[in-house]
């Protein structure tokens, strides 16, 4: 009985899996750009590839689209290996970083292009193009050329152009790069809503962590061609698998420490159980630290810098040799610390700290 | 208070002129070119016109008693010999243009899809012939195509033919020579367009389901329309008005408008007729060029959105 239920659950999970990237490696000459990358993406999920410049995000995306062929590994879509499938037969839609709109075709021509190439009858083309343009709110722009559109409008054409083909997987390479900061914010939310509404499966590439946190159901953090962690944004932020992820996502404080009897002692005297051995680094998020009036506590410091960011106050507090980042909520009744004030530091919740082996 | 130095009241005229020429405003920067054009093109052209539309007599190398006349134009237009000559020029130039385009486009496409070394090789092979004079290249064709030439010897040696083919002094020799001489002029503008081509457009096209052929037809070809237009206009103009190739490879019995004008000026000294023919040559060339421009414009409508 339970076994049967487990089996049906397993098969349901398999059916929902749209894209499987299985141990993919790619080299350019002797330089390994992708090293044993694996990600599973299920139906309707938005996964972000996040990493610093040159870590191989675009390369992985291009392997999925078929512009590059990996030396090792498999890329499966709906359980079928796509490596031997030519680019123009893959059920994958790419929104290019530069949009790559056809300059000689109107908005309508651009969106109709894929349908034409697939031999869709004219009538249906007209209907589907109109629907696609409506879904990105571009009705009325049909006869314009790409050069007559703003950056945001061009991006929406690029999205409509692939959406109209109803691909199994949508690939977007830094689609917001060319937009100004304000428009970027609104487009991120709009695009996420659109993809969710259509139930599309999507992979985003970005090196902007805020964008990744806004857009994704899960984030894959990449580093030097390897995938460090794949997890939902909350988990990436709260339980980073490696020190690199912790450092890359959000602001962190790292404190060197020594493990004794399976425990680490924090500078404020509290202890934290860990399985790690020997010298370690403890990661404390700025909002897990509190600056209190100077008392007898062992962790003393002095406010070096204080900055107001709307509802938050960011402090840099010099404690011993190192500078600690502390973030506090702004509240009426509590007067913020000023520069030069002497304070004591304490960790709010030791369970929330992470311990990483010394690199 | 910061004192801004007052500009000097008087500027030297030379400085003033240089300032204007370099300002990039109005027609000023083009003034030197305009002056040269007036001297080397407009004045001779007016003189040519005056020869074609007047009766005159020459005495001791000086033109004397020139009176206006439409006689020469009438003579030329009513003589069927001139019509067939122009027709021959036109069909030769049009077929040269068409063949150059058909041969040149694949080379430009290869340039587009090729790697760094392919691109370099194509550039070298295209530009190298331009470093030798057209006359030398035309003579080279005589060596290749002649009765005892390389081609005939090879074909005879392989036993494919019993007698040497008669190629030189025929229409075919002229056409072959014309195509070879003008091919680089077609390829270079095409390559210029191709090298500005955004490779991600091809990837986008493939991603949207197009085959290689589909991408060539629907993306690369329309985007290279400006290059095709430029190349066609250049090759047409050059091959319509050239006289070296028809003269040498046609062996004197291939008469097109340019060779005919040459003969009238050099041998029969009928300057008025030559002048009228030159004008007709120029006018008919312009008509075709306008045609090419209109067609090209039609296929490059999208570039005009740019200002908007
Ligand atoms: N065709 C190529 N030949 C050789 N090396 C390449 C090639 N394409 C990419 N690389 C190298 O592979 C690495 C990964 O490139 P990739 O474009 O995937 O980075 P990325 O993560 O997308 O970076 P960015 O955020 O800057 O776009 C880089 O170091 C790059 O120099
Ligand atoms: Mg990239």
């Amino acid at each position: 009985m339970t076994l049967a239920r487990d089996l049906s659950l397993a098969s349901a999970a398999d059916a929902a899996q749209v894209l499987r990237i299985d141990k993919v490696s790619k080299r350019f000459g002797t330089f390994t750009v992708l090293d044993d990358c694996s990600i599973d993406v299920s139906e309707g999920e938005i996964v972000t590839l996040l990493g610093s410049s040159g870590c191989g995000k675009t390369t992985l995306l291009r392997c999925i689209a078929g512009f590059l062929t990996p030396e090792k590994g498999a890329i499966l879509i709906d359980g079928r290996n796509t490596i031997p499938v030519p680019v123009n037969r893959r059920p994958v839609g790419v929104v290019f970083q530069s949009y790559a709109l056809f300059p000689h075709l109107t908005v309508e021509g651009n969106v109709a292009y894929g349908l034409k190439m697939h031999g869709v009858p004219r009538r249906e083309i007209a209907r589907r193009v109109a629907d696609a343009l409506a879904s990105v709110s571009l009705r009325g722009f049909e006869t314009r050329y790409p050069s007559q559109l703003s950056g945001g409008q061009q991006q929406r054409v690029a999205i409509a152009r692939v959406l109209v083909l109803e691909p199994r997987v949508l690939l977007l390479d830094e689609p917001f790069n060319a937009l100004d900061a304000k428009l970027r914010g609104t487009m991120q939310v709009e695009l996420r809503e659109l993809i969710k509404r259509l139930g599309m499966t999507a992979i985003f590439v970005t090196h902007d962590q805020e964008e990744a946190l806004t857009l994704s159901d899960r984030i894959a953090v990449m580093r030097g061609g390897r995938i460090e962690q794949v997890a939902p944004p909350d988990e990436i932020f709260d339980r980073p698998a490696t020190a690199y992820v912790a450092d890359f996502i959000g602001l962190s404080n790292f404190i060197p420490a020594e493990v004794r009897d399976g425990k680490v002692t924090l500078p404020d005297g509290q202890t934290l159980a860990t399985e790690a051995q020997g010298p370690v680094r403890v990661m404390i998020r700025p909002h897990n630290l509190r600056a209190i009036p100077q008392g007898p506590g062992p962790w003393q410091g002095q406010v070096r810098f204080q900055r107001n960011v709307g509802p938050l106050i960011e402090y840099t507090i010099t404690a011993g040799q190192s500078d600690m980042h502390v973030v506090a909520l702004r509240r009426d009744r509590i007067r913020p610390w000023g520069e030069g004030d002497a304070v004591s530091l304490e960790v709010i919740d030791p369970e929330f700290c992470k311990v990483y082996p010394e690199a | 208070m910061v004192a801004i130095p007052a500009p000097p009241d008087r500027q030297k005229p030379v400085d003033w002129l240089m300032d204007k020429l370099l300002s990039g405003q109005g027609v000023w920067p083009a003034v030197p070119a305009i002056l040269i054009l007036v001297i080397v093109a407009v004045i001779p052209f007016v003189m040519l016109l005056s020869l074609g539309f007047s009766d005159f007599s020459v005495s001791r190398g000086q033109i004397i008693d020139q009176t206006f006349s439409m006689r020469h134009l009438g003579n030329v237009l009513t003589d069927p010999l001139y019509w067939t000559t122009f027709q021959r020029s036109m069909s030769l130039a049009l077929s040269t243009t068409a063949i150059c385009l058909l041969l040149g486009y694949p080379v430009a496409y290869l340039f587009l899809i090729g790697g760094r070394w392919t691109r370099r090789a194509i550039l070298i092979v295209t530009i190298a012939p331009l470093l030798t004079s057209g006359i030398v290249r035309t003579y080279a064709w005589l060596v290749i195509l002649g009765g005892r030439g390389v081609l005939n010897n090879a074909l005879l040696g392989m036993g494919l033919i019993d007698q040497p083919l008669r190629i030189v002094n025929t229409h075919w020799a002229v056409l072959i020579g014309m195509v070879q001489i003008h091919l680089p002029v077609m390829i270079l503008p095409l390559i210029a367009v191709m090298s500005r081509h955004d490779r991600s457009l091809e990837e986008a096209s493939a991603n949207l389901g197009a085959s290689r052929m589909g991408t060539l037809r629907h993306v690369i070809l329309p985007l290279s329309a400006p290059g095709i237009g430029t190349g066609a206009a250049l090759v047409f103009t050059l091959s319509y008005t050239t006289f070296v190739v028809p003269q040498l490879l046609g062996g004197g019995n291939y008469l097109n408008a340019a060779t005919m004008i040459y003969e009238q000026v050099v041998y029969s000294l009928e300057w008025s007729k030559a002048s009228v023919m030159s004008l007709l040559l120029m006018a008919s060339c312009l008509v075709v060029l306008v045609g090419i421009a209109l067609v090209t414009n039609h296929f490059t409508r999208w570039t005009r959105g740019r200002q908007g």
Side-chain angles (χ1 to χ4, degrees), chain B residues 118-232:
Chain B
T118 317
R119 288 185 162 210
R120 277 184 200 165
I122 290 175
L123 270 183
I124 291 169
V125 170
T126 310
I127 292 175
L130 296 176
L131 302 178
T132 61
S133 121
I135 298 184
V136 173
R137 278 183 285 157
T138 311
Y139 270 117
W141 277 113
L142 281 179
V143 176
I144 295 171
L145 300 176
R148 302 261 166 90
V150 179
L151 181 69
N152 271 322
N153 278 347
L155 290 177
L156 282 171
M158 286 188 287
L160 291 174
I161 51 172
D162 303 329
Q163 285 182 345
L165 293 175
R166 204 176 145 265
I167 305 174
V168 168
N169 297 356
T170 65
H171 174 71
W172 295 111
V174 177
L175 189 60
I176 291 173
M178 293 283 263
V179 167
Q180 195 262 327
I181 299 273
H182 295 118
L183 197 51
V185 182
M186 177 63 87
I187 293 179
L188 287 177
L190 287 177
I191 283 181
V193 175
M194 296 286 187
S195 58
R196 260 178 287 144
H197 201 82
D198 178 4
R199 292 310 300 270
S200 64
L201 292 184
E202 286 150 68
E203 291 182 345
S205 170
N207 177 252
L208 293 169
S211 59
R212 266 175 186 260
M213 197 57 207
T215 302
L216 176 60
R217 206 165 96 70
H218 296 286
V219 177
I220 298 172
L221 198 58
L223 284 178
S224 51
I228 296 176
T230 311

Side-chain angles (χ1 to χ4, degrees), chain A residues 267-268 294-300 344-345:
Chain A
D268 66 350
Q294 196 156 33
W299 203 7
Q300 308 287 345
S344 283
L345 283 173

